Amino acid sequence: MAGVPDWVPSQIDWNQPSVARIYDYALGGAHNFETDRRAQDAALEVFPHLNDAARANRAFLHRALRFCLDRGVRQFLDLGSGIPTVGNVHEVAQDIAPESRVVYVDHDPVAVTHARSMLADDPNTAFLHEDIRAPHRILEHPDALRLLDFDQPIAVLMVGMLHYVNDASDPQHLLRDYRARMAPGSYFIASHLTSDLPEMRAAAPFFDDSRNPMTLRGRSEVEALLGDFDLVEPGVVFTVEWRPEVPPGEHPERSACYAAVGRCR
Ligand code: SAM
């Protein structure tokens, strides 16, 4: 199509908002369409801190990664990795430990196209175009088996992701499938949008027409989901409260997302 940027894959649905592109827009990126911007702008009307929440989520991801790297983890499985933006997992990890290996997974076509072109020259990374609700396809994928040694500690990430797994998809069972392949000393890094905040409950329906409607959950539900892991301090808290490098401010709840890191025994 004339005038279509070269990062736009051919199988795009121009009319359906995509959470990957909405999140890109929230973070100030350029890989999004009018339909995505309209959904996010409408949600911002009821919850003006939503873009700050996206940035806080990203900052949590970086702190949690460094936490795992400091404990010797050198391999990462990033589930629902999104459209590449500043500070991707392999960039943070390889900056600290150049030998780090990263497998990214997402089902969004823009994320796939953009990430594959970005990672083409890095033999220590791979991008799988898969649905994270099919753990066996991911865990048995030749690229995952090539890059990840499941006999050694690994960090599995579901950051800004778990609220896209609805109850019908049985998130508890899904986590158990991934958990079963994680060696002792592995970490699970998660963040999850809250149902405990009225503004977030008001904003969520604006994304109902997207490919990934949200299932918000409360703190105790998120704790229960992560019950098979030993949660490292401070447990399940808002993203800005998880081992912050700067004071979290007076309204940590405005970061709208619970964060936690769990360890496998
Ligand atoms: N993890 C990144 C971060 O925190 O910066 C990106 C988070 S973004 C909000 C959520 C991503 O999850 C989107 O890119 C979306 O396409 C992806 N996603 C949602 N459901 C998915 C599924 N079932 N399988 C694969 N990817 C999924």
Side-chain angles (χ1 to χ4, degrees):
M1 203 193 305
V4 175
D6 58 7
W7 55 264
V8 179
S10 54
Q11 72 270 40
I12 266 306
D13 180 346
W14 291 86
N15 298 314
Q16 186 180 38
S18 132
V19 295
R21 299 190 315 251
I22 290 170
Y23 186 65
D24 174 76
Y25 175 52
L27 291 173
H31 297 90
N32 47 75
F33 306 147
E34 182 60 34
T35 182
D36 311 312
R37 296 189 284 271
R38 228 179 302 135
Q40 180 73 355
D41 289 345
L44 281 165
E45 294 279 323
V46 298
F47 185 19
H49 300 285
L50 211 45
N51 288 351
D52 299 332
R55 284 189 287 273
N57 180 60
R58 201 73 194 156
F60 157 70
L61 164 62
H62 293 161
R63 293 196 303 282
L65 274 178
R66 288 194 293 271
F67 174 90
C68 294
L69 283 152
D70 285 350
R71 280 148 189 84
V73 175
R74 296 293 181 264
Q75 44 178 4
F76 302 86
L77 177 59
D78 187 2
L79 301 167
S81 50
I83 295 172
T85 179
V86 178
N88 295 294
V89 171
H90 74 287
E91 293 166 332
V92 175
Q94 292 175 354
D95 198 37
I96 292 173
E99 71 278 22
S100 297
R101 286 154 285 127
V102 181
V103 174
Y104 292 104
V105 184
D106 206 289
H107 67 175
D108 184 89
V110 172
V112 175
T113 310
H114 195 45
R116 284 210 173 126
S117 78
M118 180 178 157
L119 301 173
D121 297 328
D122 186 339
N124 283 342
T125 63
F127 194 100
L128 314 187
H129 187 183
E130 289 284 358
D131 191 312
I132 66 112
R133 292 168 300 176
H136 300 293
R137 271 215 310 271
I138 292 164
L139 294 166
E140 302 304 328
H141 193 287
D143 282 336
L145 296 175
R146 175 174 62 83
L147 287 172
L148 306 175
D149 177 355
F150 289 104
D151 292 331
Q152 297 298 321
I154 185 175
V156 174
L157 295 85
M158 282 199 199
V159 178
M161 163 71 239
L162 214 34
H163 43 262
Y164 300 117
V165 181
N166 61 21
D167 292 341
S169 298
D170 197 348
Q172 191 86 66
H173 194 262
L174 180 67
L175 291 193
R176 288 209 173 120
D177 282 343
Y178 285 107
R179 166 76 183 80
R181 287 299 297 277
M182 296 164 72
S186 294
Y187 290 96
F188 183 68
I189 304 176
S191 66
H192 192 304
L193 283 168
T194 179
S195 63
D196 296 330
L197 185 70
E199 294 92 323
M200 191 60 233
R201 291 200 300 274
F206 290 101
F207 307 105
D208 281 353
D209 292 338
S210 77
R211 181 178 181 184
N212 306 105
M214 295 167 178
T215 301
L216 305 180
R217 295 184 177 95
R219 189 191 298 256
S220 54
E221 289 174 290
V222 175
E223 280 166 350
L225 270 181
L226 303 178
D228 287 343
F229 298 95
D230 292 338
L231 296 185
V232 306
E233 285 298 320
V236 176
V237 291
F238 284 110
T239 47
V240 291
E241 297 174 309
W242 197 89
R243 298 183 179 235
E245 285 159 3
V246 293
E250 278 180 33
H251 291 288
E253 74 284 0
R254 287 181 182 165
S255 59
C257 220
Y258 292 121
V261 175
R263 189 172 186 277
C264 299
R265 238 178 259 165

